[in-house]
Amino acid sequence: MARPIARVLSLLELLQSGGVRTVAELADRLDVDERTVRRYVDHLIDLDVPVESVRGRYGGYRLASGYRMPPLMLSDDEALAVLLGLVAGRRTGLVTTTGAASETAAAKIRRVLPERLARRLDAVLDSLAFTAPPGETPAPDTGVLLSIADAVRHRRPISIRYTAGDGRRSERTLHPYGLVAHSGRWYVTGADPGIGEDRTFRLDRIAGTRTLPGSFEPPAGFDPAQHVLSGFAKTPYRHEVTLSIQSTIEQIRARLPASVAIVQELPSAAGADPATERWFRVELHAERLDWLPPLLASLDRPFVVERPDELRDLIAALADRLATSARRNAPHQ
């Protein structure tokens, strides 16, 4: 590659890093004079790369948004990060219905990688294992995702066509507060003015969106991710469980995350040391109870079962089995 062409591409890479670059700075980085920098900028403009000239004391050049993506310059580390991100996104299911776009994007990057870096990438992918199974959840439509994200940013109400889990279809108005990715699915949470309540919807069940006139203000301090997780914990199931556990919030959350349980600290008893005797009320819903006794045993902290009584029986049965096993002698070989 001739040196002028190489420097033009180096100029593009500098501009892609963002911000305004002064002519003097660019000349110093490229080891050319300022007049040559201006000539290189003209070369980029001739190639339809959207370079803007910024006037003033701190002026220079910057890369503007164009009608198409300009040539993209990536370092070895950046190319590797992009490809690993595409692989992880496909594996976890966080893709849209145009998921093939991630494959074609990865193929384009792989095609122009230096052989040395391509071999290193293949070594990483060949040795990489995931502890979770591949994502098999339905993917949302790209247009739906982008339109909702735009409505969140500009605080615009939208109309959505939604299909519930039981197959019922409806069209409703939503004030979207935020998008949340959780366990391979996309969710949007916000206010449904038709019923006056906050709601959470799966994006893969939204068939289409339409921006409505007007605007809204989300509640101060609203945390979309925490709201979605709390909603999972409140989902009605067969059993309603309430426990009191003497522990730390970190120990409890390690086994009962926010998507499973609601945890609230209880007032300390008179004279109690809050550093060692903090109690928390834990509320959760469960279809089955058999997984809770071993979980509480692994927590290894004092606890009280407030409800249901059936859980007390299961804990006692587990304790009896553990005691029997502790007294059992090793079988004869």
Side-chain angles (χ1 to χ4, degrees):
M1 180 182 295
R3 289 188 61 81
I5 298 178
R7 284 174 172 158
V8 169
L9 293 177
S10 296
L11 170 62
L12 175 59
E13 185 174 6
L14 289 171
L15 294 175
Q16 284 180 335
S17 63
V20 177
R21 301 281 184 168
T22 66
V23 177
E25 176 189 1
L26 294 171
D28 181 66
R29 295 289 297 272
L30 298 172
D31 195 23
V32 297
D33 57 38
E34 295 185 7
R35 182 178 179 182
T36 303
V37 169
R38 294 187 177 92
R39 189 170 70 250
Y40 289 168
V41 169
D42 290 338
H43 289 330
L44 291 177
I45 293 174
D46 289 341
L47 294 170
D48 288 336
V49 176
V51 181
E52 288 184 341
S53 177
V54 180
R55 299 182 181 277
R57 180 180 178 184
Y58 301 103
Y61 294 104
R62 67 185 175 194
L63 204 60
S65 298
Y67 65 89
R68 64 182 180 87
M69 181 176 288
L72 189 62
M73 306 292 293
L74 296 175
S75 67
D76 288 359
D77 288 342
E78 289 169 340
L80 183 61
V82 170
L83 286 169
L84 289 177
L86 291 171
V87 171
R90 291 200 307 268
R91 179 75 185 199
T92 57
L94 293 182
V95 294
T96 61
T97 50
T98 54
S102 64
E103 298 179 6
T104 57
K108 289 178 180 179
I109 296 176
R110 289 285 296 270
R111 192 160 52 243
V112 298
L113 284 180
E115 183 179 355
R116 173 187 56 82
L117 182 58
R119 289 198 303 267
R120 292 174 61 191
L121 175 64
D122 288 338
V124 172
L125 297 180
D126 290 343
S127 60
L128 183 61
F130 290 85
T131 57
E136 298 179 354
T137 55
D141 179 80
T142 302
V144 167
L145 174 62
L146 295 178
S147 64
I148 292 178
D150 185 72
V152 170
R153 168 173 286 188
H154 296 100
R155 300 177 179 177
R156 299 292 189 189
I158 56 175
S159 174
I160 63 173
R161 299 197 307 273
Y162 191 73
T163 302
D166 59 6
R168 289 180 298 172
R169 298 181 180 181
S170 62
E171 184 165 347
R172 57 189 71 203
T173 299
L174 180 68
H175 294 175
Y177 296 156
L179 289 165
V180 178
H182 174 70
S183 297
R185 296 189 189 275
W186 292 90
Y187 299 88
V188 58
T189 185
D192 185 337
I195 60 175
E197 296 180 0
D198 290 340
R199 295 293 306 276
T200 296
F201 300 98
R202 276 175 40 180
L203 259 65
D204 60 277
R205 292 178 176 171
I206 298 177
T209 64
R210 179 168 50 90
T211 303
L212 301 175
S215 62
F216 65 88
E217 285 295 326
F222 185 85
D223 185 337
Q226 186 61 44
H227 182 77
V228 170
L229 293 177
S230 298
F232 291 148
K234 296 175 182 176
T235 301
Y237 286 100
R238 180 180 176 186
H239 300 284
E240 295 184 0
V241 179
T242 304
L243 308 164
S244 294
I245 303 177
Q246 185 185 35
S247 184
T248 66
I249 187 66
E250 292 78 14
Q251 290 172 320
I252 296 173
R253 281 299 185 212
R255 289 167 172 79
L256 293 169
S259 59
V260 174
I262 299 173
V263 180
Q264 294 180 322
E265 185 172 2
L266 296 172
S268 299
D273 182 358
T276 59
E277 299 181 47
R278 296 171 62 194
W279 284 82
F280 294 85
R281 170 165 286 118
V282 178
E283 298 179 348
L284 58 97
H285 297 78
E287 195 65 29
R288 299 186 354 253
L289 297 174
D290 53 355
W291 59 277
L292 274 169
L295 182 144
L296 292 171
S298 68
L299 187 60
D300 195 24
R301 299 296 303 164
F303 66 88
V304 175
V305 176
E306 298 184 20
R307 63 174 179 173
D309 291 336
E310 181 183 351
L311 179 57
R312 301 174 189 272
D313 298 335
L314 291 174
I315 294 172
L318 175 63
D320 289 342
R321 292 197 300 272
L322 291 175
T324 299
S325 296
R327 292 190 296 267
R328 184 176 294 133
N329 295 322
H332 296 294
Q333 302 297 326

